[in-house]
Each structure stands twice: as C-alpha cells, then as structure tokens.
C-alpha cells in the first residue's frame, strides 16, 4: 500500500473504537470474535504458515494448497449476536462522528453539495437542518467572545514610538540593555550573559578586518556593562581598608604614587581581606580623582566585571565597615490629575455598553494613555527596583560606597589611530556668550563659564587634547594616562563617512617640545580633573540632552547641508574622561600592541557618541573580539583564565555543561570517542586534581629528581588506565595561580625565554642556576600553584581549547634533533572498556521498557530488575566520555601531563599556532630539571580530538 493510501486509511479509521480490529491491508476484513462463522481455520495452517497471514485470499495458492471446505459444527447464537452488534455500533459511530474540520453538509453525497449551504441552512435537507443551526449558533457565540477580547495591534500601531518604547521597556525587565543595544541587535549575534544582553560577534565575516583594525587603525567596543563602584572618604582610611585586599608582591596597588595622584589608571588583582595568596576574587581597574587643594577627602572609582561585582561588593563593605544602608530617594509617580488639578474625572470619556457594541471599520490605536504619563526610555539598570539600596555608609570610618553600575557609559577604542578618531570626532566645548553668562540658566555649563579658574583649566585641557593630533600612535603615550575634558555635542556636526587618519600637515606645526613632554611625562595632574566626577553635573547633562527631533529641525533650517549647527545650544556640552589603555605589556615582541583609549560619558549620551565614531571608518567588535584581543596580548581574560577565582569556577561549570549538551546532541556514531583518544576531561580542566597529584608525587619522592622516575599506570596493551585507583587523601588547601612578580621572573629565566617559534633566545637578567636545592625551595614556597604560560608551536598545527600539555621523552628529543621539521610523536590508541557497559545498559533499558509494555495488568508482584541490565545500577555513562571519578591525570597517557590550554588559535601576529594556559609549577620545575640546556622549555601539545603531539616552546612572560 502506498504512503498516501495509508494516510487516507488512518484518517478514515481514527475514530473507530478499540474493540474492533482491522487488518493492515485494505482488502482485509475485521477479525471476527469468538464463536462467529470465521472461527474455522484451514487445515493447511496446521502444516505450514500461509503466505498471507491476515484476511481471506482467493485463487490458486502457491504450492498447490487449498482451503478446507469443512463447515463449523455449531454456532453460539449469543456470542454471534454480540459480535455483530458491536460491529453495527462501530459502523454507526464512524458514520455519525465528525472530525474537527468536518461540516454537516459533508455528510451529503458530492453531487448534492452546494457552496451556499454554509450560510443558508434551508438549502440542506430537513434531516440535517437542526444540526446545522446548532453549529451556526456555536460559531456566533465564539465570534462574539473573540470580538470582546482585545484585538492585537496592527503593525503600524506597533511601530509607533510610544508603543515601541513600552515594548522595549518590558523586554528589559530580565536582562539589562546597553544604550547601543538596538544598533547591535541589527548587526550582531546577541547573547544573554551576566544579566546583560550583549553582542557576541557580527553577522558578517570580519575576523581578519577586525584584527587589521586593532593592528593599524581602530576597533570600537561598548564596555558599559562593566560595573563601577565609587568609594568616598579620607585618603588614609581608604588606603588602610583597601590594603587588606591587595599585596605588593603582585605589583602596584591602590597606593602607587602615580595612581594615587589621579594621573594614571591602575590595575590589580584583589583577594579576600587578609587572605593573600589564597582566595583571589579577580582583576579590577581603579581611578583616583585628583586631589583638591586643602582637602584630604578623596574619591575612587573601581571598575569590575559583572561576575566579579557580586563577590567584590560584599568584600568592600566588610573591609570598609559600611553596613548602614542609605535608602534612595523614590520619586513620586505623577498622575495626570496631579498635573492638571482642574481636570475632573467625569470629563473623561466613559465606555458604555452602547459605545462598545458599535462596530468599528478601522482599528485606531493611540500611543497616549489616559491612565498615566507617557512612558520614558529606561536609562541605566532597568532590572533594579527603585527601592533597591545602592549606597552604604560607615559611621566609624566615614567611608561611603556608591554603586554606579550603568550610570557611566564606557567605550573602548583599540588601535594605534584611536587618538586620531577621537580628535576627528570630538571638539572642545566653546565658551558661552556674555549674555548667557549674566542670565540664570538651568544648565550646568553656563554656570561653570562664570568661574574664570574653571575656564582656564578647560582651555589647558583643550590645548593638550589638540596636541594628540600630532602623535603618530597611541602607544607612544604613557600607559594609563588620564585626560579630563568637556566637549560639544558631536551630533552638531554631521559626521562624514571618512576614515580618520593622523593629520600629517599638523605634525610640523605642533610645538615639538610640548608634544615630547606629553609623550614622556603624560598629562599634568591638574588637567586630569573632570566634571564627570560630580553627580549633579552628570544628572544635569543626562536630563537636558537635546532630542533628535529638535536637532533634525535645526538641520533643516541651515543653508548649507552638512555644516555645523550654530550657535551651540546651552545644553550641548558633555563632560568626558579619556583614559589611555596600555597594549601588550609582557614580553619583548609587539610591544604596545592593542593599545587605545577608553571614553567615559554620562548615561544617556551613548548613541550620540557611538554613531559619529562609527562614521569615522572604524570597526566594531563584541565579546569574541575582546577574547581575541587578550589572546594576542598574551594576557589572561576574565573570567575564562582565572580558574582560582569564584567567577572563574562558575564560568568553567557553565562551559562544561554547554559543551556536554552540545556533545550529546550529536548521534553516537558521529561523536568523538575521547576515551580512545586518551582524553580524560575534554570539556573541563581538573586543576585541583592536577595540583594534588604533582604535590603527592614530590612528597612521595622526598627529593625532586626529574620526571623520568614517574611510572605511568597506563598499559599500552589496553591503552586505558586502571579504574581502581589507589585511595588518595586530598590536601585541604586549594590550588592558586602564581602571581608573585619576583618568583615569576625567576621561573621565566629558568625556562630560557625565546621569541615566537623558538627562533632565538632573549636576554634575561642574572638568575641563580637551576638545581635540585633551588627547585625544592621554590616548590616549598609555592605549593599547589599553577603558572600562566604562553606556548608557540615549533611546526604546523592549531592549538584548541582544553588541549593537553605533556612532557616529551628522551626519544622525542632525539627525533627532534634529527629532523627539525618533525611533526611530533603519536599517542597509541586507547581501549574503551566502558563501551560494552553502555551497550548493555541501553539493551537493559529497552528490555525493561518492552516488558513493562507487554506485561498484563494485575499480573501480580513485579519481578526484581536485573542488576546488569538496569540503568540505575550503573553510573551515568556517556559513550566516549570517562565517568567520575577520573583516574590519574598525570599518568593516564604515554606522556606525563603538565597542564591544559585555555585559549588557543592560529596567531596572525606571530604567524604560527599559539596557546595560552596553565601548568603545574611543581611539574614544570621537575621537567626543566630533567631536560638538557638546549631543549629546556620544550613541551608537547595535543588537541583533545587528535592523537598527534606537536612540539611547543613554553615562555613565562611578565
């Protein structure tokens, strides 16, 4: 039977009762019940099975058989009548029952049907008119209910500004939108992360153009999702409280002289109060407000990642003793009756039943609502309740903590021409006219123009900003330089889609001595001041921003299209802060790559600055390019590369669940069998187990003598480590990442740092020779530690995430000496001992399901399940993955394990595959101690989906 006939037959018989059975063939007849005339069976059935198991078949049969002509001896009249009655009832039910799409006139033959029967029941026969009238009444009742329900708005009504604003505000209740969200949503793949809706990567292919923009021109990113925490108080009390979170061993802290003056932006890794070197929280950047004359009161901004804020804010409250909550002022909701007291409620139109029942030919929707004031655009955090506290005060120390999340817009411009883009886009604010100075104004800028000292400072800042036009590259300026400025609204000048380049003609005209002083010493301290630090100025600039409608009206009135709007409106000045971002600061190659500027604005001005910047010919990037930017700089990216922080642990758990779910979506035949590849953890990195096993190995030996003494527990015959591992007492301490600058310099010198691809050695300072005593003293000082390393492949290959870093054997080094182009050794294939268990478990589950479905009801007590076939008896096994607990990670493969890769890709800057990751300090020192001088620092790298090892040179860059 064809597929179409099968579907037609199923449609006809879907309303048949269960008691009547039909054969699968259209020629079959219903199976008769016991006692009917069809109970007799042909005698040939006893000898062999007929070719047609169901139904009567006429004609000559194959093999010459024929049916028996014997008649039944007797018929049970009662049983025969019951069976026939059941068949008649089924037939009547099938005839009278209508499907969901059936109508009354479909019961008629086709030659009697008419189109007018659907609305004129008199055209139907008398026997069907009553049923048709009932169905018509039902349809009218449903239509009236549907008419009473609110109609969906038309597309034209939905696209009105007021309705769009209400819809956008509703969609911001769960995830915060940046001010550039609509712009990004049209051009980027959006992801929901950390409570925000962020752009991940563009919808068009632009990976290499974005890299070229970071290398030669400029790349723009919106970093407004970073959280800003403001601290106010006395300088000595602030430094005393913040000193508990940092250590001088990791680098400059909050008390660094240049940072404390307000001339530089600093960065530091914070820890829990008094817990260094354990329990780190994550990296933060901070900025001090320049000192005021005769005042010790200071102001500090701390910028942190959103996943770090939930750990950092309680720790700041603890060390600063800020427990008193300062409740925010809740603005009262103004109703229309309060705005117009003379308006009586009775004057509003009342919807009477008569007016509601009147039909309307056209749907008209008004964005104005009489129930309240018009909706306003959400600026800042739309998910936060108005009563949520954002300020905390300490009565003992006098420190005030204020949460400024989403109160300041932050853009990052990456590239050597970032300063050229800024100088082309921004113009220093013009002075107000004398007439405006004498009059009182609700705007902040005319009030500041009255003070001569403030205007003198503004002129000095404008001169320094003009000096930036003569700088060739942003990397020539000191890292972390801060410049305060007040600029005009960039929308006053219609942006031209022209690529911003360094003005060569102005370089010769600029005062060379001032430019050289700017490049060597940076911006003077008094010019780092900005009105952006004042809350009142930020609020005034936000609420008095010129609307786009007013600007468009002014543009239509100018004579020359595209010229600057003049005079400058009084509310067209914006306070900003320019913060220089250093590029690559580690290593000796590509110094200052990826440098740029950060632009800080008051909230509400995001799109007013974003569009003019885009029109200067720059590229835009998202979260993916932020990761690649950190990878090319050789710096760890938060929270991906901070496994010892709480945010890093949460990120690893989310990533493991995401990769495991993606792995399970593939059919078993298309999955990579990681057990056969000798990969224990393809979706995560068990750092704790790695540090514990190396620590136990050193304690067991008592003295470090090299990795050659490690006996692997893996037998090459079966390729799988023993499932029954020796019971290991885990140390109580957790692993930490080594961030001590002095120890990192010593460890880097022992690795013999080289350039990319290990082409030539780099000069390092004097370091003590590598010996067993020096290694043991270093290990005692830094137990359970990991170290951040950069690896460059010596041959072809592309490192991937979670790739394994292993120790080469002596035979591997000999093969490398014989052939420099040697790709590397091969890992012997492992045996999957869990594959049979997974298959038995699957078969057991199928048998259990089949037995439960075939088991008759009320058959008695259920039997006990088979322990071998029961799915609950075995652990949660996935084909191709090792179950928990994992065996020994350092001795599972033929090469000893040192660590894993967290970032890996082909580096466009180095021209080879580069990887970033962590290795065990104990394992690395044991490896270096057993390697000869010419091969010191060479490791093996293997991707999780490959059996091929690649030679790589390890470097520790500080």
């Amino acid at each position: 039977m064809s597929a179409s006939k099968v579907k037609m037959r199923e449609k006809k018989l879907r309303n048949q009762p269960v008691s009547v059975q039909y054969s699968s063939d259209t020629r079959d007849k219903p199976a008769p019940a016991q006692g009917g005339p069809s109970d007799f069976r042909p005698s040939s059935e006893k000898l062999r099975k007929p070719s047609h198991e169901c139904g009567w078949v006429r004609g000559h049969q194959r093999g010459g058989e024929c049916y028996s002509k014997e008649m039944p001896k007797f018929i049970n009249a009662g049983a025969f009548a019951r069976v026939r009655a059941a068949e008649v009832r089924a037939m009547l039910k099938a005839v009278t029952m209508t499907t969901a799409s059936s109508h009354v006139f479909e019961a008629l033959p086709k030659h009697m049907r008419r189109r007018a029967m659907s609305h004129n029941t008199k055209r139907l026969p008398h026997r069907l008119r009553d049923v048709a009238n009932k169905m018509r009444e039902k349809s009218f009742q449903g239509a009236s209910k549907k008419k009473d329900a609110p109609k969906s708005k038309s597309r034209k009504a939905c696209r009105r500004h007021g309705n769009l604003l209400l819809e956008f505000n509703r969609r911001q209740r769960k995830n915060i939108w940046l001010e550039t969200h609509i712009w990004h949503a049209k051009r980027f793949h959006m992801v929901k992360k950390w409570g925000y809706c962020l752009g991940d990567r563009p919808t068009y292919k632009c990976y290499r153009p974005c890299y070229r923009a970071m290398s030669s021109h400029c790349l723009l990113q919106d970093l407004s999702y970073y959280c800003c925490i403001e601290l106010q108080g006395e300088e000595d009390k602030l430094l005393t409280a913040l000193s508990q979170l940092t250590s001088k061993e990791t680098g400059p802290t909050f008390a660094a002289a240049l940072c404390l003056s307000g001339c530089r932006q600093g960065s530091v890794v914070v820890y829990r109060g008094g817990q260094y070197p354990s329990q780190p929280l994550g990296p933060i950047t901070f900025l001090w407000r320049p000192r005021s004359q005769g005042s010790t009161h200071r102001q500090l901004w701390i910028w942190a990642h959103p996943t770090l804020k939930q750990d950092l804010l309680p720790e700041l409250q603890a060390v600063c003793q800020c427990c008193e909550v300062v409740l925010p002022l809740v603005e009262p909701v103004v109703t229309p009756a309060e705005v117009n007291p003379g308006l009586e409620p009775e004057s509003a139109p009342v919807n009477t039943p008569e007016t509601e029942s009147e039909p309307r030919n056209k749907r008209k929707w008004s964005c104005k609502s009489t129930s309240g004031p018009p909706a306003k655009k959400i600026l800042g955090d739309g998910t936060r309740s108005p009563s949520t506290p954002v300020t905390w005060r300490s009565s003992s120390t006098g420190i005030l903590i204020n949460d400024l999340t989403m109160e300041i817009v932050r853009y990052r411009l990456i590239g050597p021409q970032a300063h050229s883009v800024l100088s082309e886009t921004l113009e220093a604010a013009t002075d107000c006219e004398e007439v405006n100075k004498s009059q009182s104004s609700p705007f902040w800028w005319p009030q500041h123009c009255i003070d001569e000292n403030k205007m003198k400072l503004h002129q000095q800042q404008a001169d320094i900003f003009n000096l930036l036009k003569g700088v060739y590259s942003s990397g020539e300026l000191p890292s972390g330089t801060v410049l305060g400025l007040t600029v005009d609204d960039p929308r006053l000048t219609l942006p031209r889609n022209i690529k911003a380049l360094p003005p060569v003609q102005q370089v010769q005209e600029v005062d060379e001595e001032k430019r050289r002083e700017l490049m060597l010493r940076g911006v003077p301290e008094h010019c780092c001041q900005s009105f952006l630090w004042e809350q009142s100025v930020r609020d005034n600039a936000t609420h008095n921003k010129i609307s786009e409608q007013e600007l468009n009206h002014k543009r239509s009135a100018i004579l020359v299209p595209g010229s600057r709007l003049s005079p400058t409106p009084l509310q067209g000045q914006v306070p900003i802060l320019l913060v220089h971002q250093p590029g690559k600061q580690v290593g000796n190659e590509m110094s200052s790559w990826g440098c740029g500027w950060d632009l800080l604005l008051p909230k509400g001005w995001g799109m007013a600055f974003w569009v003019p910047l885009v029109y200067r010919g720059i590229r835009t990037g998202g979260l993916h390019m932020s990761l690649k930017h950190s990878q090319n700089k050789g710096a760890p990216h938060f929270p991906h590369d901070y496994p010892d922080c709480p945010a890093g642990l949460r990120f690893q758990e989310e990533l493991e669940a995401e990769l495991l779910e993606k792995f399970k979506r593939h059919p078993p035949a298309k999955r990579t069998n990681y057990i056969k590849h000798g990969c224990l953890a393809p979706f995560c990195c068990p750092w704790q187990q790695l540090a514990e096993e190396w620590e136990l190995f050193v304690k067991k030996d008592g003295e470090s003598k090299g990795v050659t003494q490690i006996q692997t527990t893996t037998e090459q015959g079966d390729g799988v480590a023993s499932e029954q591992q020796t019971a290991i007492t885990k140390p109580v301490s957790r692993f930490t990442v080594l961030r001590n600058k002095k120890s990192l310099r010593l460890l880097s010198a022992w690795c013999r740092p080289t350039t990319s691809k290990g082409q030539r050695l780099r000069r390092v300072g004097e370091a003590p020779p590598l010996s067993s005593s020096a290694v043991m003293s270093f290990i005692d000082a830094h137990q359970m530690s990991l170290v951040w390393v950069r690896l460059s492949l010596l041959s072809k290959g592309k490192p991937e995430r979670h790739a394994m870093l292993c120790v080469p054997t002596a035979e591997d080094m000999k093969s490398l000496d014989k052939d420099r182009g040697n790709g590397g050794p091969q890992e012997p294939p492992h045996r999957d001992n869990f594959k049979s268990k997974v298959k038995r478990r699957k078969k057991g589950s199928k048998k259990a399901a089949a037995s439960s479905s075939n088991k008759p009801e009320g058959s008695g007590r259920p039997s006990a399940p088979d322990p071998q076939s029961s799915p609950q008896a075995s652990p949660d096994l996935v084909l191709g993955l090792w179950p928990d607990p994992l065996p020994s990670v350092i001795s599972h493969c033929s090469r000893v394990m040192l660590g894993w890769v967290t970032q890996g890709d082909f580096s466009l800057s180095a021209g080879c595959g580069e990887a970033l990751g962590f290795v065990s300090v104990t394992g690395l020192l044991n490896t270096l101690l057993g390697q000869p001088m010419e091969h010191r620092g060479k490791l093996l790298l293997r991707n999780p989906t490959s059996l091929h090892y690649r030679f790589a040179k390890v470097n520790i860059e500080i």
Side-chain angles (χ1 to χ4, degrees), residues 578-599:
L578 296 175
V579 182
H580 183 268
Q581 288 297 322
K584 185 178 180 182
Q585 294 181 303
V586 296
N588 297 330
E589 294 179 325
M590 299 180 60
S591 180
S592 299
W593 184 93
C595 61
W597 288 87
D598 278 11
L599 176 62

Side-chain angles (χ1 to χ4, degrees), residues 249-317:
E249 296 180 356
T250 60
T253 61
F254 291 98
L258 284 175
C259 300
L260 191 60
S261 63
C263 299
R264 299 284 191 276
Q265 177 186 247
S267 60
V268 69
V269 177
V270 294
Y271 296 78
R272 295 199 182 274
Q275 298 296 326
Y276 174 82
S278 61
Q279 300 186 23
L281 296 180
I284 56 102
T285 57
F286 60 92
L287 183 62
W288 289 92
R289 184 177 184 178
R291 297 184 179 92
S292 302
Q293 294 182 357
S295 175
T296 58
H297 188 272
R298 299 301 302 274
Q299 194 172 350
L300 173 68
W301 281 351
I302 296 177
W303 295 85
H305 196 271
T307 57
L308 176 59
K309 175 189 171 183
Q310 56 182 328
D311 303 318
L312 177 63
L313 188 57
E315 202 64 28
L316 288 174
Q317 296 174 0

Side-chain angles (χ1 to χ4, degrees), residues 658-674 683 842 878-881 945:
E658 178 183 353
L659 294 178
L660 182 59
E661 182 183 0
K662 183 179 179 181
F663 178 78
K664 289 182 178 180
R665 284 201 297 263
H666 294 279
K670 304 300 180 183
R671 299 176 188 170
T672 301
N673 194 325
Y674 292 103
F683 307 137
K842 187 178 295 185
V878 179
L879 185 63
L881 296 180
T945 57

Side-chain angles (χ1 to χ4, degrees), residues 42-45 59-69:
S43 59
S44 59
E45 284 186 340
H60 177 72
Q61 301 299 314
R62 187 178 302 174
E65 296 118 354
C66 60
Y67 291 102
S68 175
K69 297 182 180 180

Side-chain angles (χ1 to χ4, degrees), residues 333-568:
V333 179
V334 181
T335 60
E338 295 177 1
V339 177
N340 300 322
L343 181 63
E344 297 181 0
E346 291 78 4
S347 61
V350 180
N351 294 330
T352 60
E354 291 77 5
T355 59
E356 290 181 358
S357 61
E358 293 179 0
R360 291 180 295 177
N361 297 330
K362 188 175 181 180
R363 294 179 296 180
K364 293 183 180 180
W365 295 87
S366 176
C367 60
K368 297 181 181 180
S369 176
T370 58
S371 60
K376 294 183 179 180
K377 183 180 179 181
I378 294 179
L379 296 177
D381 190 355
T383 62
R384 180 188 298 168
S385 174
S387 60
T388 303
V390 294
T391 307
W392 298 268
R393 181 186 291 111
S394 174
S395 57
S396 58
T397 60
I399 298 177
L400 183 70
I401 298 179
N402 192 14
D403 186 6
L404 298 182
T405 301
M406 294 297 295
E407 293 293 320
I408 299 175
V409 178
R410 183 162 190 157
Y411 294 155
R412 176 160 295 177
L413 292 87
I414 305 172
Q417 301 304 322
H419 65 287
S420 300
V421 175
L422 290 173
S423 60
E424 287 286 335
T425 308
L426 307 179
E427 292 186 11
T430 55
D431 192 4
C432 295
E433 299 178 0
E434 295 297 332
V435 179
N436 298 327
K437 291 182 181 179
S438 59
Q439 299 176 357
S440 60
S441 174
F443 310 120
W444 72 277
W445 180 244
Q447 301 296 330
H448 284 71
C449 291
I450 301 175
D451 193 345
E452 296 182 358
N453 294 330
K454 293 181 179 179
M455 294 308 300
K456 183 179 179 180
L457 176 62
H458 170 69
Q459 186 62 38
Q460 294 176 357
Q461 292 174 342
D463 295 340
I464 294 177
F465 179 71
N466 293 328
L467 287 177
L468 292 178
K469 299 179 181 180
V471 178
Y472 180 75
S473 174
S474 300
E476 298 178 359
L477 298 172
S479 61
T481 302
V482 181
L483 175 61
L485 191 63
T486 302
V487 297
D488 286 334
D489 191 343
R491 298 175 298 170
L492 299 177
T493 304
L494 189 66
R496 297 173 298 172
N497 197 355
I498 299 177
K499 192 173 184 178
L501 295 174
V504 182
Q505 297 179 357
Q506 296 184 9
V507 173
Q508 301 174 359
E509 301 174 2
V510 160
D511 190 355
E512 188 68 23
E513 186 175 350
K514 291 183 179 180
R515 184 173 63 86
R516 188 181 297 109
E517 184 179 359
L518 176 65
M519 295 167 56
L520 294 177
R521 299 184 180 180
V523 180
E525 181 178 348
H526 64 280
C527 292
C528 300
Q529 187 63 262
S530 174
F531 298 115
L532 190 66
W533 289 93
E534 301 178 10
Q535 179 71 32
S536 59
V537 175
R538 294 199 304 267
D539 294 342
N540 191 290
T542 298
H543 298 313
N544 296 318
K545 175 188 171 185
I546 311 175
S547 63
E548 291 287 343
Q549 182 180 6
E550 186 177 353
L551 278 177
N552 293 333
H553 180 70
K554 290 185 177 182
R555 288 194 186 105
S556 62
I558 59 177
L559 295 177
V560 182
S563 59
R564 180 180 174 85
L565 297 179
S566 61
T568 304

Side-chain angles (χ1 to χ4, degrees), residues 125-411:
H126 287 280
R127 60 185 177 86
L128 298 177
R129 287 181 186 178
D130 296 337
V131 181
N133 290 329
K134 292 179 181 179
M135 292 185 65
R136 189 179 181 186
E137 291 176 0
K138 274 187 180 181
S139 63
F140 283 150
Q141 291 177 2
S144 61
K145 291 181 180 179
K146 189 175 181 181
K147 189 175 181 180
D148 296 339
K151 295 182 180 179
S152 59
K153 297 182 180 179
S154 63
R155 186 180 185 277
K156 183 178 179 181
C158 292
R159 300 302 298 173
R160 290 196 183 110
H161 176 71
N163 295 330
L164 272 179
L165 196 58
L166 291 173
E167 177 65 16
F168 291 161
N169 292 346
R170 182 191 65 81
R171 290 161 60 183
Q172 297 182 56
R173 295 173 185 172
K174 292 185 178 180
N175 295 283
I176 304 174
W177 282 11
L178 306 184
E179 295 185 16
T180 58
H181 173 83
I182 302 298
W183 191 94
H184 278 91
K186 297 178 180 180
R187 300 165 179 88
F188 277 68
H189 295 287
M190 307 300 291
V191 294
K192 295 179 181 179
K193 279 189 174 182
W194 314 310
Y196 294 82
C197 201
L198 306 175
D200 184 33
R201 63 184 73 198
T203 54
Y204 53 92
K205 296 181 180 180
C206 61
Y207 174 70
R208 285 178 179 266
C210 286
Y211 171 78
R212 287 195 295 268
M214 290 189 292
S215 302
S216 59
H217 192 243
C218 184
L219 179 80
L220 178 63
Q221 291 179 329
D222 189 356
L223 300 185
S224 302
Y225 60 91
Y226 268 72
C227 304
C228 180
I229 302 175
E230 183 183 57
L231 275 72
Q232 298 183 23
E234 300 295 327
E235 180 179 325
D236 54 347
K237 294 182 179 179
L238 285 174
L239 292 177
T240 303
L242 295 175
S243 62
Q244 305 176 36
L245 305 178
T246 59
S247 175
K248 295 182 180 179
E249 296 180 356
T250 60
T253 61
F254 291 98
L258 284 175
C259 300
L260 191 60
S261 63
C263 299
R264 299 284 191 276
Q265 177 186 247
S267 60
V268 69
V269 177
V270 294
Y271 296 78
R272 295 199 182 274
Q275 298 296 326
Y276 174 82
S278 61
Q279 300 186 23
L281 296 180
I284 56 102
T285 57
F286 60 92
L287 183 62
W288 289 92
R289 184 177 184 178
R291 297 184 179 92
S292 302
Q293 294 182 357
S295 175
T296 58
H297 188 272
R298 299 301 302 274
Q299 194 172 350
L300 173 68
W301 281 351
I302 296 177
W303 295 85
H305 196 271
T307 57
L308 176 59
K309 175 189 171 183
Q310 56 182 328
D311 303 318
L312 177 63
L313 188 57
E315 202 64 28
L316 288 174
Q317 296 174 0
V319 297
C320 297
Q321 303 177 12
C322 294
C323 302
E324 301 178 7
V325 177
V326 180
L327 297 178
L329 297 176
V330 181
E331 298 180 0
V333 179
V334 181
T335 60
E338 295 177 1
V339 177
N340 300 322
L343 181 63
E344 297 181 0
E346 291 78 4
S347 61
V350 180
N351 294 330
T352 60
E354 291 77 5
T355 59
E356 290 181 358
S357 61
E358 293 179 0
R360 291 180 295 177
N361 297 330
K362 188 175 181 180
R363 294 179 296 180
K364 293 183 180 180
W365 295 87
S366 176
C367 60
K368 297 181 181 180
S369 176
T370 58
S371 60
K376 294 183 179 180
K377 183 180 179 181
I378 294 179
L379 296 177
D381 190 355
T383 62
R384 180 188 298 168
S385 174
S387 60
T388 303
V390 294
T391 307
W392 298 268
R393 181 186 291 111
S394 174
S395 57
S396 58
T397 60
I399 298 177
L400 183 70
I401 298 179
N402 192 14
D403 186 6
L404 298 182
T405 301
M406 294 297 295
E407 293 293 320
I408 299 175
V409 178
R410 183 162 190 157
Y411 294 155

